[in-house]
């Protein structure tokens, strides 16, 4: 599909009524961003929030494109890394937007991964009670997940993503060329979220990934297609349940285990990055579902085989170093925000592409399962 005047090779619409927006996916989109923004946000000036790493790689291209289209812009460059999702950097970014004398009709542009996107979206959501927001995601994770759906926010000392607002972007530009500069480990971690969409409710997509994952890693049309299919999957869920009162929870497949493991390694990215936790978490969710006689052990084995082939960890013992015991992991699981009034809510599955939200998962079964998994 082609967008008028753009080289984007795919367009996915997030159907949210009058707040509907497009995700454009393809190569060279940053160079076209100026024209696309000028066209859609008539006359707006923009603050470009980015991090130091991405600024070094892609900010010049964006700045030239904005200049060429006559869009006034100011850069706000923050340190790279999860620690930037903090009150201190929120204050710095808000101050940058105000100092640039941007008004309510102007826009905040996020150029970077999920960290920049979450923080910049929050800035856009609260400055002058809401400014326009554009996402230019530059990691695979951000292109297939965090830039779509309107969740924004920061971390506090008490946990991740505890403070934020829902604030949908007006446009998402996923420039697939930016992924060429991404470290391979970050690409693989993002791939876990791509596979997740197949495992939630797209068995054909999962089978396609099994056959084509190498091409997805190599770039080109298969990569664009995988990103577009992932965005389509997320957009559908978001359009059904924007504020996560029901189905949107399916997007957390693998995340209850994953978040517990991330917490267990005190969010040390040397040991585990988010997507790796999700990969182990998805493998565990399938095994646990097989244990509960909901799904076939063959499906669990198939999921594990694919993720492992793509270079992702799938067992708890794949994580280097000491880990808490089963009771310790249970405590982290109970702290996860997906726990609602005491009952454990989990995403379980009846097989590949047949995930569902399970409430009242018996914690005794889970503890026994974790004990075994820690030994394998
Ligand atoms: N809002 C949501 O719905 C949602 C969903 C999932 C995750 N998240 C959030 O996303 C964050 C993780 O996002 P992430 O994995 O993109 O992390 P990130 O933003 O920290 O990016 C990872 C690293 O890659 C670098 N980088 C980014 N783009 C690059 C490029 N093109 N080339 C080279 N290096 C590049 C960054 O500087 C950073 O060091 C977490 O904070 C998580 O909570 C949000
Ligand atoms: Zn995730």
């Amino acid at each position: 599909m082609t967008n008028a005047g753009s080289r984007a090779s795919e367009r996915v619409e997030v159907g949210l009524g009058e707040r509907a927006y497009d995700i454009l996916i393809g190569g060279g989109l940053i160079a076209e961003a100026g024209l696309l923004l000028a066209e859609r946000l008539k006359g707006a000036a923009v603050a470009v929030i980015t991090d130091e790493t991405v600024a070094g790689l892609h900010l010049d291209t964006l700045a030239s494109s904005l200049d060429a289209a006559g869009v006034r812009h100011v850069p706000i460059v923050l340190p790279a890394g999860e620690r930037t999702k903090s009150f201190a950097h929120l204050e710095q970014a808000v101050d940058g937007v105000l100092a640039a004398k941007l008004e309510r009709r102007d826009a905040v542009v996020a150029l970077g991964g999920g960290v920049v996107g979450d923080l910049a979206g929050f800035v856009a959501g609260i400055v002058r009670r809401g400014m326009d927001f554009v996402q230019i995601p530059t990691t695979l994770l951000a292109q297939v997940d965090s830039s779509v759906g309107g969740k924004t926010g920061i971390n506090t000392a008490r946990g991740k993503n505890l403070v934020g607002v829902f604030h949908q972007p007006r446009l998402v530009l996923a420039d697939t060329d930016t992924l060429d500069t991404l470290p391979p480990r970050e690409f693989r971690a993002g791939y876990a979220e791509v596979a997740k969409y197949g495992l939630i409710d797209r068995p054909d997509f999962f089978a396609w990934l099994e056959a084509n994952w190498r091409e997805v890693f190599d770039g080109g049309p298969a990569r664009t297609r995988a990103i577009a299919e992932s965005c389509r999957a997320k957009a559908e869920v978001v359009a059904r349940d924007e504020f996560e009162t029901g189905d949107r929870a399916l997007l957390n497949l693998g995340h209850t285990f994953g978040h517990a493991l991330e917490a267990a390694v005190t969010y040390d990215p040397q040991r585990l990055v988010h997507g790796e936790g999700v990969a182990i978490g998805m493998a565990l969710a399938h095994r646990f579902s097989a244990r509960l006689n909901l799904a076939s052990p063959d499906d669990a084995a198939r999921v594990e085989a694919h993720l492992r082939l793509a270079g992702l960890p799938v067992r708890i013992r794949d994580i280097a170093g000491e880990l808490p015991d089963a009771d310790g992991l249970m405590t982290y699981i109970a702290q996860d925000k997906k726990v609602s009034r005491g009952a454990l809510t989990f995403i379980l599955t009846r097989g590949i592409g047949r995930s569902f939200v399970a409430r009242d998962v018996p914690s005794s079964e889970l503890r026994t399962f974790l004990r075994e998994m820690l030994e394998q």
Side-chain angles (χ1 to χ4, degrees):
M1 211 182 292
T2 347
N3 189 54
S6 158
R7 283 169 48 217
S9 37
E10 295 259 9
R11 183 178 74 90
V12 174
E13 198 196 20
V14 186
L16 288 168
E18 48 183 39
R19 288 172 299 118
Y21 56 93
D22 282 340
I23 306 165
L24 305 183
I25 304 142
L29 276 170
I30 292 186
E32 287 179 54
L35 284 176
L36 291 164
L37 262 63
E39 185 184 290
R40 287 169 196 242
L41 310 169
K42 299 192 173 12
V46 302
V48 178
I49 302 184
T50 187
D51 73 31
E52 284 161 3
T53 307
V54 178
L57 295 163
H58 303 292
L59 184 58
D60 284 350
T61 315
L62 179 59
S64 313
S65 160
L66 293 169
D67 283 338
V71 178
R72 180 169 80 87
H73 57 96
V74 274
I76 298 173
V77 183
L78 303 170
E82 188 68 32
R83 290 217 172 88
T84 294
K85 276 174 57 173
S86 67
F87 278 111
H89 291 100
L90 176 71
E91 185 174 5
Q92 185 187 339
V94 165
D95 189 59
V97 172
L98 295 174
K101 301 209 167 13
L102 294 192
E103 296 174 5
R104 190 156 181 207
R105 295 280 166 79
D106 293 327
V108 173
V109 173
L111 175 71
V115 164
V116 161
D118 280 12
L119 179 92
F122 192 22
V123 170
I126 59 176
V127 172
R128 302 189 188 276
R129 299 197 177 77
M131 297 174 63
D132 277 342
F133 179 42
V134 172
Q135 289 263 25
I136 307 185
T138 63
T139 64
L140 182 57
L141 179 135
Q143 296 191 351
V144 300
D145 190 354
S146 61
S147 69
V148 180
K151 279 193 187 178
T152 76
I154 57 170
N155 307 323
T156 85
R158 293 184 189 280
K160 283 189 62 171
N161 300 325
L162 292 179
V163 177
V165 296
F166 282 96
H167 189 62
Q168 298 289 347
R170 292 279 306 277
L171 177 68
V172 181
L173 301 178
D175 185 336
T176 49
D177 291 344
T178 60
L179 303 181
D180 293 340
T181 59
L182 199 63
R185 187 174 174 203
E186 293 288 348
F187 189 91
R188 280 198 296 275
Y191 183 79
E193 307 277 4
V194 173
K196 179 185 79 175
Y197 295 112
L199 295 175
I200 292 173
D201 61 358
R202 294 178 179 234
D204 294 348
F205 182 46
F206 187 76
W208 182 84
L209 289 171
E210 286 178 308
N212 295 283
W213 68 273
R214 282 192 180 80
E215 286 77 12
V216 174
F217 275 65
D218 289 347
R223 179 184 284 179
T224 303
R225 179 168 166 190
I227 294 171
E229 185 70 11
S230 300
C231 289
R232 219 168 276 128
K234 179 148 186 192
E236 262 177 33
V237 177
V238 168
R240 275 207 306 270
D241 178 20
E242 185 178 4
F243 300 110
E244 194 164 337
T245 52
D247 264 12
R248 189 166 175 163
L250 287 172
L251 298 173
N252 294 322
L253 174 64
H255 281 61
T256 305
F257 287 122
H259 285 155
L261 294 169
E262 280 184 274
V265 301
T266 60
Y267 300 97
D268 177 356
Q270 306 289 342
R271 294 179 69 191
L272 193 72
V273 297
H274 175 75
E276 292 168 347
V278 172
I280 299 175
M282 291 192 300
L284 292 177
H286 282 76
R287 286 184 137 211
F288 189 46
S289 300
R291 164 68 56 90
L292 297 172
N293 289 321
L294 293 164
S296 139
D298 293 348
D299 281 343
R302 196 176 140 194
V303 171
E304 234 176 81
H306 178 59
L307 296 174
R308 201 185 275 297
L309 204 57
L312 285 159
V314 290
R315 298 280 171 95
I316 297 180
R317 60 125 207 269
D318 290 339
I319 304 170
E322 289 283 301
L323 282 172
D325 62 8
D327 288 329
L329 287 178
M330 288 294 288
T331 312
Y332 287 119
I333 287 174
Q335 273 165 10
D336 194 67
K337 67 180 186 302
K338 275 91 210 172
V339 175
S340 171
R341 305 201 179 142
L344 281 179
T345 298
F346 250 86
I347 312 306
L348 295 178
T349 186
R350 298 193 174 85
I352 286 169
R354 300 176 64 203
S355 298
F356 65 98
V357 183
R359 311 202 191 272
D360 297 321
V361 170
S363 54
S364 52
E365 294 252 16
L366 183 60
R367 186 175 285 109
T368 313
F369 174 73
L370 284 172
R371 224 168 256 147
E372 265 179 54
M373 292 302 112
L374 278 161
E375 276 155 22
Q376 290 200 4

